[in-house]
Amino acid sequence: MRKKLLVGNWKMNKTMAEAKSFALAALPLVSYAESKNIDIGVCPTYLSLDIVKKTNPKLIIGAQNVDYHTHGAYTGEIAINMLQEIDIDWALVGHSERRSYYGETNASCNLKVKALLASAITPLYCVGETLAEFEGGLTKSVVERQVREGLKDLTKEDAKKIVLAYEPVWSIGTGKNASQAIAEEVCHFIRTILDDLFAEVSEEIRILYGGSVKPDNVRTYLSSPNIDGALVGGASLQVDSFRALIENIAE
Ligand code: PEP
């Protein structure tokens, strides 16, 4: 049985003071979620990682990105050992905004996934098609390439430690959700690729849906057999809404 998971992606929002006040307000949510057998986490900006971790150490804290190089002349980037130094647990890899605005490719995602696994940080690998690809009937071929290339050369032991998120680009921040049927169909499809790649461990790998998830629709997605949780942007920013997401998953 895969444990349910809710991850908030704060994107470029919240000052350190705002992030700290969310982390404080979320202290009771961690024990509530644990009592309901749900993992919860947030991905603040790099600047706020440390303060959120220190304020709420049991919340899963993820970076929104990471570099795969160990150090060197990579202006503006952050290395994995810098995340480790402040006990960061997870990192997003291949979020659609990184892919579309910053040229992230399946190959660079693969390097990041492997570097994170080598450092015992959980990669949350994001895949999903654009609107044009969706309308062109290309969803499965795009997603299959993203999964196979992004997870290339992983062992079964590695695969057990990753989390995937299916986020159709056309539904991120747009209020246009993928229907439950589409989300489940693609997440099921991803699981068949994982079956092919990692055979007996594929059932252990969590797959999230992301794209305009709100407190009033989160439950529908999570009632689908292959959707194990949600990656949430806008609705994770306010602690009341984050709490409502958890409560509605728990019900
Ligand atoms: C996201 O940032 O991954 C996301 C799904 O955003 P939103 O929930 O706002 O669509």
Side-chain angles (χ1 to χ4, degrees), residues 9 11 95 97 167 171-174 210-214 231-234:
N9 173 18
K11 313 192 190 202
H95 188 279
E97 287 147 22
E167 299 204 301
S171 75
I172 297 179
T174 59
S212 298
V213 173
K214 309 282 178 226
L231 179 56
V232 183

Side-chain angles (χ1 to χ4, degrees), residues 66-69 80 84 109-121 123:
V66 72
D67 199 299
Y68 55 84
H69 299 95
I80 291 173
Q84 285 178 310
C109 289
N110 181 243
L111 291 167
K112 293 181 183 199
V113 167
K114 288 190 290 195
L116 287 164
L117 287 166
S119 305
I121 296 183

Side-chain angles (χ1 to χ4, degrees), residues 166 170 177-188 209 217-227:
Y166 167 57
W170 47 272
N177 305 74
S179 65
Q180 180 193 11
I182 292 176
E184 167 58 20
E185 185 182 345
V186 181
C187 289
H188 174 261
Y209 168 75
N217 62 24
V218 69
R219 203 155 170 223
T220 309
Y221 289 113
L222 269 94
S223 64
S224 314
N226 285 287
I227 301 179

Side-chain angles (χ1 to χ4, degrees), residues 18-186:
E18 289 164 347
K20 182 179 179 182
S21 101
F22 181 109
L24 268 177
L27 281 169
L29 298 184
V30 175
S31 38
Y32 172 74
E34 198 46 54
S35 74
K36 300 291 180 184
N37 207 26
I38 304 168
D39 283 334
I40 61 169
V42 293
C43 301
T45 66
Y46 282 137
L47 274 179
S48 295
L49 288 171
D50 193 37
I51 190 73
V52 174
K53 182 76 192 175
K54 283 187 176 131
T55 307
N56 195 334
K58 289 192 179 157
L59 190 60
I60 293 170
I61 311 295
Q64 297 174 16
N65 182 33
V66 72
D67 199 299
Y68 55 84
H69 299 95
T70 54
H71 64 283
Y74 302 101
T75 302
E77 293 295 328
I78 296 282
I80 291 173
N81 68 340
M82 299 169 188
L83 298 180
Q84 285 178 310
E85 194 176 24
I86 54 168
D87 293 325
I88 296 310
D89 318 283
W90 294 41
L92 300 183
V93 176
H95 188 279
S96 74
E97 287 147 22
R98 299 292 320 166
R99 290 179 188 264
S100 60
Y101 305 147
Y102 303 102
E104 192 92 71
T105 62
N106 294 337
S108 64
C109 289
N110 181 243
L111 291 167
K112 293 181 183 199
V113 167
K114 288 190 290 195
L116 287 164
L117 287 166
S119 305
I121 296 183
T122 301
L124 201 175
Y125 178 51
C126 306
V127 299
E129 80 287 3
T130 63
L131 182 60
E133 289 162 345
F134 174 71
E135 289 177 344
L138 297 173
T139 299
K140 288 187 179 170
S141 61
V142 168
V143 168
E144 176 160 14
R145 205 170 332 114
Q146 291 171 328
V147 173
R148 288 189 185 276
E149 293 179 8
L151 304 184
K152 193 163 171 272
D153 299 330
L154 263 59
T155 64
K156 287 180 190 170
E157 278 312 301
D158 285 337
K160 281 193 217 171
K161 298 173 196 152
I162 62 170
V163 176
L164 278 97
Y166 167 57
E167 299 204 301
V169 179
W170 47 272
S171 75
I172 297 179
T174 59
K176 290 186 201 153
N177 305 74
S179 65
Q180 180 193 11
I182 292 176
E184 167 58 20
E185 185 182 345
V186 181

